[in-house]
């Protein structure tokens, strides 16, 4: 089973690094991207995985990133993290059902479960049984 | 001759004139009784007039002396008439004997008059004349007949103005020389008195000396000489005592009359002016008391001080200030009334400066400690008082009590401070979303880091280096959260105005950091154009942060309806010139109508449904208190732009806004 790759996208470097550490502690390979643009550049569609992204970022936000990724083949599942409950509700409507929204700060096991779940979905999408 | 002529012309008109109790009296025989009686009457009339003058108004003693002189002469004239008309030598002798009394009276009153009128320096001459005349009078009455005659042999007939009269002729009395000597002394005294009058100088005095003195001397000389000539029979004419005397009287009366009239005039004027003076003194008194009441009614202080600092005038409020009765203020100095050394020096210096420069001075506000130890505030106006001789030794002061105004001002200042604080608090509450985000970020990082660390520790061989890095990051994030809380606390603190030296660029970054949450929510891009190396600013950091936050939040809110891709705010700092720096906050919102560019700074002007409209007016007041300015303008590409200009270093003295 090829190892999955998770992209952690947050303009706040310290938050991104902390999330990366949580994922690594669970043995998940995580890459930090400082912006949505950086994520689009770094994204490798050949590798299964998911994107963990902060909803609110300067310039291109989490939802923008999602719509850009959807344009590509093998779009990865997106796990949104947001500190604003109200924003999350709106984003839900915009992003559709096939996404996960997590509150910020996020519990480690919640994040790990959500990511593992997302990666599993991506694998399933890539290799339909 | 004139009298004869007059009588002749009268004759035809008065037919009964010839008819008399005596039979067939010649008209000429009436000349002497008529002329002499007229003379005597005129003398008495003069005497009466001057007696009245003396009573009525003048009261001068020479007037009284003249009255005595004129009445004595009148008497003398009558007696002289009887001598001239005496029917027998015996009667003539007896009348001459009684003539001594009016002669003595004439002498006494003459000496008195001359002395009083001219002020002779040899009064003893006058006393000598009187003494000799007194002696002559005694000799007169001691003699069998009179002073002049031992006996009278017959009456010599003489002609006076065509009328027949008689003078007694007989053997001379050897004591007659006493009378002559007294006349001589009198002449000398008259000369001396006239000279004394002459020496007083002035045309009027000299004329009088010549006229009155001269006529008196001439009269006495002629009268005495003629008496000798007549009695000795050398001259067959009447005595020259009464009639010339009458003309001398007229001359004196003329001069004295002018004096009396003048004196009367002066007296009347004096009385009038006395009355006027009394009236004006009364009026002055009334006016003084009115003015006094007036200055006591004025609530402010009114006072006059002299060069020594003594009060020469003070109204009731001054006395109340010092807690003493008003009459105890005048004559005392501030040092005696109020023991506050600094205040004393200030008052004194101001007073002296006003007196020396002779220019008025306004002391906009000065503190005075009153009798109860409370501080009162006054606005004082000091004016130099310049005396008629041009010297300036007094200062007039008037002070208005502005204590209430000062109190209101300081209360207003306090309220403004509180308002600034309140608006800051309300701004912080507006910022709460943003601040939550700012706190949430480090807290989220800390939680994740800590949970990751726990999971690493659960492994058999924990990576200690990784754990250390995690802990370092936790510390860092905790600090970051602490910073947010600290700046929040600073903003909420009710701090007094203070001056800090700080970097304007750092302030801009901090403010942008604080509103990052809102910026992110709006998807708003901020471009910072901060010129490096700006000089430090001395200002109240919290207040300037408030201003900047206000402008940034306004810019964010202005772009709420702007197309998301155009939501762009720029904040720039720059140096304008050697003294001034500026911060410009620009947005791409709808901008401000040209008419409203100034109105946006008015209190309670707002375009927001929930806004109070105090933000920008407060900002402008804060910046102005720092000696700077805040202006709104329209951006060329649309949107509004706010420019804060601040003096660098120590600009104008910052006060509470």
């Amino acid at each position: 089973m090829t190892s999955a790759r998770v992209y952690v996208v947050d303009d706040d470097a310290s938050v991104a690094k902390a999330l990366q550490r949580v994922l690594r502690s669970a043995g998940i390979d995580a890459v930090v991207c400082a912006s949505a643009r950086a994520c689009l550049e770094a994204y490798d569609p050949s590798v299964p995985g998911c994107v963990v992204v902060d909803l609110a970022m300067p310039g291109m936000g989490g939802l923008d990133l999602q719509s850009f990724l959807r344009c590509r083949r093998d779009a990865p599942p997106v796990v949104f993290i947001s500190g604003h409950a109200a924003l999350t509700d709106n984003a839900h409507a915009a992003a559709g059902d096939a996404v996960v929204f997590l509150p910020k700060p996020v519990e480690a096991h919640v994040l790990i479960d959500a990511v593992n779940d997302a990666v599993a979905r991506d694998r399933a999408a890539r290799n339909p049984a | 001759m004139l009298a004869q002529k007059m009588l002749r012309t009268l004759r035809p008109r008065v037919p009964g004139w010839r008819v008399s109790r005596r039979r067939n009296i010649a008209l000429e025989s009436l000349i002497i009784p008529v002329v002499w009686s007229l003379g005597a009457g005129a003398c008495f009339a003069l005497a009466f007039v001057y007696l009245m003058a003396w009573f009525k108004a003048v009261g001068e003693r020479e007037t009284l002396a003249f009255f005595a002189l004129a009445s004595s002469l009148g008497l003398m004239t009558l007696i002289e008439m009887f001598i001239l008309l005496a029917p027998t030598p015996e009667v003539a002798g007896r009348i001459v004997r009684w003539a001594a009394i009016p002669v003595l009276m004439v002498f006494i009153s003459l000496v008195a008059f001359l002395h009083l009128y001219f002020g002779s320096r040899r009064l003893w001459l006058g006393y000598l004349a009187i003494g000799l005349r007194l002696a002559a009078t005694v000799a007169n009455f001691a003699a069998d007949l009179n002073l002049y005659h031992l006996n009278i042999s017959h009456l010599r007939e003489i002609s006076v103005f065509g009328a027949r009269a008689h003078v007694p002729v007989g053997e001379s009395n050897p004591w007659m020389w006493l009378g002559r000597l007294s006349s001589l002394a009198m002449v000398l005294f008259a000369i001396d008195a006239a000279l004394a009058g002459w020496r007083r100088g002035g045309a009027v005095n000299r004329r009088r000396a010549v006229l009155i003195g001269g006529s008196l001397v001439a009269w006495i000389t002629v009268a005495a000489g003629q008496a000798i000539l007549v009695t000795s029979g050398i001259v067959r004419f009447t005595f020259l005592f009464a009639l010339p005397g009458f003309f001398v009287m007229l001359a004196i009366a003329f001069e004295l009359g002018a004096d009396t009239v003048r004196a009367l005039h002066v007296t009347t004027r004096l009385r009038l002016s006395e009355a006027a003076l009394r009236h004006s003194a009364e009026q002055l008194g009334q006016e003084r008391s009115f003015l006094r009441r007036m200055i006591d009614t004025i609530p402010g202080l009114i006072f006059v001080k002299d060069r020594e600092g003594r009060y020469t005038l003070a109204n009731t409020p001054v006395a109340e200030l010092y807690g003493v009765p008003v009459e105890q203020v005048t004559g005392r100095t501030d040092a005696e009334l109020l023991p506050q050394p600094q205040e004393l020096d200030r008052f004194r210096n101001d007073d002296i400066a006003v007196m020396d420069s002779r220019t008025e001075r306004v002391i906009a506000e000065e503190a005075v400690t009153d009798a109860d130890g409370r501080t009162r505030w006054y606005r004082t106006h000091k004016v130099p008082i310049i005396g008629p001789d041009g010297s300036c030794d007094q200062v007039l002061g008037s002070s208005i009590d502005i204590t209430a105004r000062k109190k209101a001002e300081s209360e207003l200042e306090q309220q403004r401070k509180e308002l600034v604080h309140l608006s800051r608090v309300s701004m912080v509450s507006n910022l709460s979303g943003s601040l939550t985000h700012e706190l949430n970020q480090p807290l989220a990082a800390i939680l994740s880091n800590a949970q990751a660390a726990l999971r690493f520790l659960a492994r058999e061989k924990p990576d200690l280096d990784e754990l250390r890095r995690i802990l370092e990051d936790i510390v860092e994030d905790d600090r970051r959260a602490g910073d947010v809380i600290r700046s929040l606390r600073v903003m909420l603190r009710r701090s007094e105005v203070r001056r800090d030296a700080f970097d304007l660029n750092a302030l801009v970054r901090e403010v942008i950091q604080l509103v990052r949450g809102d910026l992110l929510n709006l998807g708003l891009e901020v471009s910072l154009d901060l010129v490096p190396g700006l000089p430090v600013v001395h200002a109240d950091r919290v207040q300037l942060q408030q201003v900047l936050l206000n402008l940034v939040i306004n810019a964010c809110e202005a772009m709420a309806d702007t197309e998301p891709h155009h939501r762009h705010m720029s904040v720039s700092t720059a140096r304008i010139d050697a003294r001034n720096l500026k911060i410009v906050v620009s947005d791409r919102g709808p901008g401000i109508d040209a008419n409203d560019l100034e109105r946006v700074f008015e209190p309670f002007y707002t375009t927001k449904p929930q806004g109070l409209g105090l933000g920008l007016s407060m900002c402008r007041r804060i910046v102005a208190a720092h000696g700077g300015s805040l202006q709104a303008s329209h951006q060329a590409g649309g949107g509004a732009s706010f420019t804060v200009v601040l003096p660098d270093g120590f600009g104008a003295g910052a006060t509470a806004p």
Side-chain angles (χ1 to χ4, degrees):
Chain A
M1 192 167 85
T2 51
S3 63
R5 185 179 293 166
V6 177
Y7 298 89
V8 177
V9 189
D10 200 317
D11 63 307
D12 191 322
S14 70
V15 174
K17 203 155 86 184
L19 293 178
Q20 183 192 32
R21 280 186 182 125
V22 169
L23 294 177
R24 276 189 184 163
S25 73
I28 301 167
D29 177 19
V31 200
V32 167
C33 303
S35 67
R37 199 173 298 276
C39 175
L40 284 175
E41 280 166 13
Y43 179 64
D44 182 356
S46 63
V47 183
C50 73
V51 175
V52 177
V53 61
D54 191 341
L55 255 182
M57 282 191 294
M60 198 189 288
L63 289 170
D64 295 326
L65 177 61
Q66 186 202 23
S67 44
F68 268 104
L69 287 171
R70 272 183 182 164
C71 299
R72 304 194 175 186
R73 277 191 312 120
D74 301 326
V78 179
V79 176
F80 287 107
I81 299 177
S82 168
H84 295 272
L87 198 67
T88 315
D89 288 343
N90 289 336
H92 245 299
D97 291 334
V99 286
V100 181
F101 283 93
L102 300 179
K104 199 182 201 175
V106 63
E107 291 294 331
H109 66 93
V110 175
L111 177 67
I112 291 162
D113 288 352
V115 165
N116 280 333
D117 197 38
V119 169
R121 270 190 285 132
D122 190 42
R123 281 188 202 277
R126 285 169 187 269
N127 309 304
Chain B
M1 301 301 275
L2 186 74
Q4 211 171 3
K5 230 183 233 171
M6 270 174 59
L7 286 169
R8 276 189 191 134
T9 52
L10 273 170
R11 206 172 352 182
R13 286 189 206 166
V14 192
W17 188 248
R18 271 177 171 274
V19 184
S20 162
R21 271 177 283 174
R22 284 178 159 194
R23 283 176 299 115
N24 296 328
I25 292 176
L27 191 60
E28 284 74 17
S29 66
L30 284 174
I31 285 176
I32 286 173
V34 168
V35 172
W36 262 248
S37 302
L38 278 177
C43 282
F44 287 132
L46 271 179
F48 180 74
V49 166
Y50 279 84
L51 183 66
M52 284 299 108
W54 178 75
F55 264 130
K56 280 278 177 192
V58 190
E60 283 176 4
R61 285 180 301 171
E62 63 256 41
T63 317
L64 194 62
F66 182 73
F67 152 74
L69 184 59
S71 48
S72 319
L73 189 73
L75 210 56
M76 188 62 220
T77 309
L78 282 180
I79 287 185
E80 194 180 275
M81 180 186 76
F82 289 130
I83 295 171
L84 291 173
L85 296 177
T88 61
E90 290 76 29
V91 173
R94 235 177 291 136
I95 296 172
V96 170
R97 184 184 174 97
W98 287 105
I101 292 173
V103 170
L104 179 64
M105 281 166 63
V106 167
F107 266 64
I108 294 171
S109 51
L110 198 53
V111 168
F113 174 77
L114 283 171
H115 176 63
L116 292 170
Y117 196 69
F118 290 121
S120 71
R121 287 186 303 180
R122 296 187 181 80
L123 191 56
W124 60 270
L125 267 174
Y127 287 136
L128 182 66
I130 292 171
L132 285 169
R133 180 48 64 180
L134 212 56
T137 309
V138 171
N140 173 63
F141 286 104
D144 289 337
L145 198 54
N146 59 42
L147 184 64
Y148 306 96
H149 307 98
L150 288 175
N151 56 62
I152 294 174
S153 52
H154 63 282
L155 292 176
R156 183 185 298 135
E157 191 178 291
I158 57 168
S159 170
V160 180
F161 309 130
R164 278 187 303 137
H166 298 93
V167 290
V169 181
E171 205 178 334
S172 291
N173 189 339
W175 288 100
M176 203 162 67
W177 59 271
L178 269 175
R180 288 174 189 168
L181 265 182
S182 81
S183 297
L184 185 63
M186 194 66 212
V187 168
L188 291 175
F189 179 67
I191 291 170
D192 180 61
L195 282 176
W198 175 274
R199 279 193 212 99
R200 275 194 215 163
V204 176
N205 280 333
R206 295 193 166 174
R207 191 191 69 219
R208 282 176 186 166
V210 170
L211 189 66
I212 298 179
S215 62
L216 275 173
V217 168
W219 173 47
I220 299 162
T221 314
V222 167
Q226 176 80 351
I228 297 166
L229 295 177
V230 170
T231 32
S232 57
I234 296 169
V235 171
R236 289 175 164 251
F237 192 64
T238 178
F239 304 103
L240 288 177
F241 196 84
L243 287 187
F246 172 67
F247 290 108
V248 172
M249 281 311 104
L250 278 183
I252 297 175
F254 172 73
E255 284 296 333
L256 207 58
D259 278 354
T260 307
V261 167
R262 199 176 303 122
L264 263 170
H265 189 64
V266 169
T267 310
T268 314
R269 298 246 325 240
L270 208 64
R271 274 191 191 156
L272 283 175
S273 56
E274 249 174 30
L277 208 64
R278 207 175 304 120
H279 180 70
S280 41
E282 231 166 69
Q283 222 168 26
L284 204 65
Q286 279 172 0
E287 269 168 25
R288 276 187 82 97
S289 73
F290 173 72
L291 281 175
R292 180 74 225 180
R293 261 207 317 281
M294 202 165 77
I295 68 163
D296 281 340
T297 314
I298 292 171
L301 312 180
I302 293 185
F303 53 86
V304 177
K305 283 189 254 183
D306 65 13
R307 203 164 262 283
E308 281 70 47
R310 283 190 299 259
Y311 281 94
T312 54
L313 176 94
N315 67 343
T316 315
V318 175
E320 280 167 5
L321 173 69
Y322 290 145
V324 293
V326 71
E327 59 275 4
Q328 284 183 25
V329 178
T330 44
R332 292 167 83 176
T333 62
D334 284 320
E336 295 166 295
L337 292 164
L338 145 138
Q340 281 282 332
Q342 305 97 325
E343 292 175 7
L344 279 180
D345 288 349
R346 212 179 54 225
F347 296 162
R348 193 92 184 95
N349 291 343
D350 286 338
D351 292 347
I352 298 286
V354 167
M355 282 186 273
D356 286 348
S357 66
R358 288 150 184 264
T359 45
E360 55 186 72
R361 174 174 286 214
V362 176
I363 299 118
E365 41 187 59
E366 59 179 347
V368 184
T369 309
D370 70 4
D372 300 332
R374 280 178 310 206
T375 300
R376 294 203 207 173
W377 287 90
Y378 287 97
R379 177 188 165 82
T380 301
H381 198 151
K382 288 186 173 173
V383 183
I385 298 181
I386 294 164
D389 58 343
S391 65
C392 179
D393 289 317
Q394 284 193 313
V395 57
L396 165 70
S398 67
S399 304
I400 304 168
D401 192 329
I402 53 165
T403 313
R405 199 187 79 196
K406 285 286 287 184
K407 196 172 160 226
E409 275 173 6
S410 84
E411 274 170 10
L412 193 66
E413 195 174 297
Q414 188 58 38
Q415 278 170 5
R416 277 184 183 159
K417 265 190 214 161
E418 274 165 23
L419 202 59
V420 167
H421 175 250
L422 276 177
S423 79
R424 204 155 61 218
V425 170
S426 95
M427 197 174 62
V428 169
S429 91
N430 281 344
L431 271 177
S432 63
S434 207
L435 288 168
T436 315
H437 177 265
E438 278 312 295
L439 272 178
N440 213 23
Q441 291 292 95
L443 286 178
I446 287 168
L447 180 69
S448 295
N449 271 324
Q451 286 181 337
L454 285 172
R455 293 175 71 94
F456 283 133
L457 275 173
R459 290 181 181 175
E460 280 177 23
K461 275 188 164 179
D463 181 349
L464 289 181
D465 285 344
E466 177 69 2
L467 283 174
R468 186 179 298 113
R469 279 194 296 274
I470 287 174
L471 286 174
E472 281 168 2
D473 282 352
I474 287 175
V475 168
E476 184 57 38
D477 280 321
D478 194 271
R479 285 219 177 98
R480 203 174 126 197
D483 282 347
V484 173
I485 288 175
R486 199 171 307 115
S487 68
L488 187 65
R489 202 164 49 205
V490 165
M491 295 242 288
L492 292 176
R493 197 171 57 202
R494 192 187 304 264
S495 62
E496 286 300 304
V497 179
R498 46 182 281 192
R499 285 219 167 204
D500 316 293
F502 59 91
D503 174 22
L504 215 50
N505 291 339
L507 183 77
V508 171
R509 283 195 200 96
E510 192 180 315
V511 166
I512 297 301
Q513 182 73 22
L514 279 174
V515 294
R516 220 164 64 120
D518 284 340
L519 302 181
L520 292 176
N521 285 345
L522 286 164
L524 204 151
E525 267 189 275
V526 179
S527 64
L528 297 182
D529 179 12
L530 308 178
V531 173
L534 287 178
V536 290
V537 171
H538 289 84
D540 188 304
R541 196 176 199 278
V542 178
Q543 286 190 352
L544 274 195
Q545 191 176 37
Q546 181 177 352
V547 170
L548 210 48
L549 264 175
N550 230 306
L551 297 180
V552 167
I553 290 170
N554 276 354
C556 289
E557 286 171 350
M559 288 187 282
D561 297 330
T562 307
E563 190 116 340
H565 298 291
H566 287 103
R567 291 176 186 172
H568 183 268
M569 168 170 36
S570 79
V571 182
S572 66
T573 58
R575 203 178 176 136
I576 302 175
D577 50 41
R579 297 215 41 82
N580 295 298
L581 306 175
K582 69 171 178 181
I583 312 170
V584 183
V585 178
S586 309
D587 62 55
R588 297 251 175 92
I592 303 167
D593 195 272
N595 295 326
D596 292 338
L597 282 176
E598 271 305 304
R599 283 190 63 204
V600 295
F601 294 106
E602 287 172 13
F604 307 111
Y605 175 87
T606 182
T607 55
K608 304 169 202 163
Q610 290 89 16
L612 264 181
L614 282 173
L616 281 176
S617 75
M618 196 92 56
C619 287
R620 181 172 257 191
R621 206 186 295 143
I622 290 172
V623 175
H626 283 87
S629 66
L630 171 58
Q631 298 290 336
S633 59
H634 212 67
Q635 283 223 90
S641 182
F642 285 84
T643 305
V644 179
V645 175
L646 279 177
D648 72 334
F650 292 94
T655 52

